[in-house]
Amino acid sequence: MSKKVLVLGEVRDGELRNVSYEAIAAAKEIAAGGEIVAVLCGEGMSNHGQTLLHYGADRVVLAEHALLNEYSTDGYVQALLQVIDQEKPEGLVLGHTALGKDMSPRLAARLESGLISDVTSLEKVGEEVIFTRPIYSGKAFEKKVIQDGLIFVTIRPNNIPPLELDESRSGDVSTLSVDVKDLRTIIKDVVRKASTGVDLSEAKIIVAGGRGVKSTDGFKPLQELADVLGAAVGASRGACDADYCDYSLQIGQTGKVVTPDLYIACGISGAIQHLAGMSNSKVIVAINKDPEASIFSVADYGIVGDLFDVVPLLTEEFKNV
Ligand code: FAD
């Protein structure tokens, strides 16, 4: 039976995040020929609305209010509830991003619905959609179905391929002036840390450093390799705890969970808590001077050697590609 499915588009620094397109692809499976309605919160979003149509949304609702220009749990939940009240969807898809992780449990509670979080794939079997999600820090996967009520899921970024961009697609983009009030927190200003520009959680290639980089300066050859590859730089908690880099780079159980096409681990031992954040990467390259390091057990390619010799060689080679 076809269903109407709502998707929340995420915008950061004025750009739509890829997970918005991936959510539309997931919604398409759930909708089974039904309508996909994308929602964007905040002012001045109509251009992004057009882009979501090009990526497969059938219709876009712009939930407009000045207080939605910056994310707040209260504001977004209030706005989404009003859109849901208007649209009465049978499915709801959000990214399993910081925003999605923050608001989805509250939204589920308000809607008195279940929630399957951190979905990495979904498949259609007859009328049912089966959702797969990792458990036990990625050591196992469970499959779940929702048999009753709202099909509410969050999807892990970089796992579900977006639909092909089709700029000839069009659809209705309407505005809903939502009522947002009594916010417990109001964002006055956002001061971002300087970043290299590539978002770690959506990066296709990550060059990550561990305690083996030995210092803040030790990250320089990794950054150079990342620049050549158009990659993001990440880190183990060992490197963060040693103050070689900022905690925003930490990958793992208590850091970011990433699924790039290529993960290059440099001087990282491969503790289980680190593997929890990166072992689903498509191709893993490990560089470590200890041939017994656990990281080699998950690596597709292993280089036993000193990272300060190997990484600059890779940089030089990739410059010529
Ligand atoms: P180490 O284990 O010290 O490994 C350094 C590696 O570098 C070694 O294998 C060494 O052979 C190699 N090396 C040294 N010099 C060189 C060189 N010149 N060239 C090549 N290789 C070299 N960790 C995370 O990463 N993410 C998490 O989210 C996380 N969450 C945690 C949560 C909990 C509750 C706990 C208890 C721990 C958590 N940890 C996490 C910590 C984790 O257990 C490890 O301590 C940490 O991952 C180790 O970091 P590391 O591999 O960089 O350091």
Side-chain angles (χ1 to χ4, degrees):
M1 209 181 59
S2 61
K3 295 181 174 63
K4 183 196 274 194
V5 182
L6 226 63
V7 169
L8 178 66
E10 267 192 56
V11 175
R12 195 156 84 183
D13 297 334
E15 301 278 336
L16 268 166
R17 301 190 72 188
N18 287 340
V19 73
S20 315
Y21 315 137
E22 295 162 7
I24 291 174
K28 197 166 173 68
E29 284 292 318
I30 301 166
E35 190 182 30
I36 300 170
V37 182
V39 185
L40 287 165
C41 295
E43 296 171 311
M45 294 283 168
S46 54
N47 278 351
H48 293 318
Q50 293 299 335
T51 309
L52 294 178
L53 294 173
H54 298 159
Y55 272 97
D58 298 307
R59 195 154 60 76
V60 177
V61 175
L62 307 175
E64 276 197 357
H65 196 291
L67 288 175
L68 298 174
N69 292 342
E70 293 294 345
Y71 172 75
S72 72
T73 326
D74 283 341
Y76 266 54
V77 167
Q78 287 179 28
L80 259 274
L81 286 174
Q82 288 165 60
V83 179
I84 289 166
D85 192 44
Q86 171 181 283
E87 297 292 335
K88 315 229 172 335
E90 286 124 333
L92 178 57
V93 184
L94 270 59
H96 196 69
T97 54
L99 183 154
K101 279 189 252 187
D102 181 62
M103 73 180 285
S104 57
R106 183 178 299 216
L107 198 53
R110 295 280 193 280
L111 294 166
E112 297 187 359
S113 104
L115 166 67
I116 301 181
S117 62
D118 202 12
V119 168
T120 51
S121 68
L122 62 174
E123 60 179 312
K124 202 95 215 262
V125 178
E127 283 286 293
E128 265 175 352
V129 182
I130 301 178
F131 298 97
T132 302
R133 63 186 298 275
I135 52 172
Y136 304 125
S137 300
K139 286 206 277 306
F141 289 87
E142 66 175 359
K143 289 180 184 287
K144 289 192 150 186
V145 291
I146 297 176
Q147 290 179 319
D148 198 13
L150 182 73
I151 300 180
F152 184 7
V153 299
T154 62
I155 58 156
R156 185 182 283 198
N158 258 347
N159 278 262
I160 297 164
L163 304 174
E164 218 155 279
L165 174 71
D166 177 357
E167 292 187 356
S168 68
R169 276 183 60 93
S170 60
D172 184 48
V173 179
S174 61
T175 302
L176 177 69
S177 319
V178 285
D179 187 20
V180 178
K181 57 184 179 206
D182 301 332
L183 298 189
R184 277 168 282 194
T185 46
I186 292 178
I187 315 285
K188 296 274 193 196
D189 193 13
V190 177
V191 182
R192 294 200 194 284
K193 288 196 169 157
S195 81
T196 55
V198 185
D199 180 350
L200 198 53
S201 48
E202 292 197 335
K204 296 283 177 210
I205 306 177
I206 293 174
V207 180
R211 215 173 342 234
V213 303
K214 294 192 177 68
S215 66
T216 305
D217 278 352
F219 266 96
K220 280 188 184 153
L222 277 59
Q223 184 64 60
E224 280 162 19
L225 176 59
D227 289 344
V228 170
L229 293 172
V233 171
S236 70
R237 180 159 147 187
C240 301
D241 283 346
D243 217 10
Y244 302 160
C245 63
D246 192 82
Y247 278 103
S248 61
L249 301 190
Q250 186 185 320
I251 291 166
Q253 189 180 321
T254 44
K256 293 198 169 78
V257 175
V258 296
T259 328
D261 292 340
L262 175 61
Y263 189 90
I264 306 177
C266 311
I268 294 178
S269 60
I272 190 74
Q273 295 91 351
H274 186 76
L275 302 187
M278 48 62 76
S279 60
N280 287 328
S281 304
K282 292 184 186 80
V283 175
I284 298 171
V285 176
I287 304 164
N288 197 302
K289 62 183 186 186
D290 174 8
E292 304 297 324
S294 321
I295 191 78
F296 289 124
S297 66
V298 296
D300 300 283
Y301 300 95
I303 303 172
V304 178
D306 189 317
L307 72 92
F308 295 105
D309 296 330
V310 177
V311 172
L313 286 175
L314 289 177
T315 307
E316 283 312 307
E317 280 302 312
F318 282 119
K319 271 185 192 165
N320 299 326
V321 174

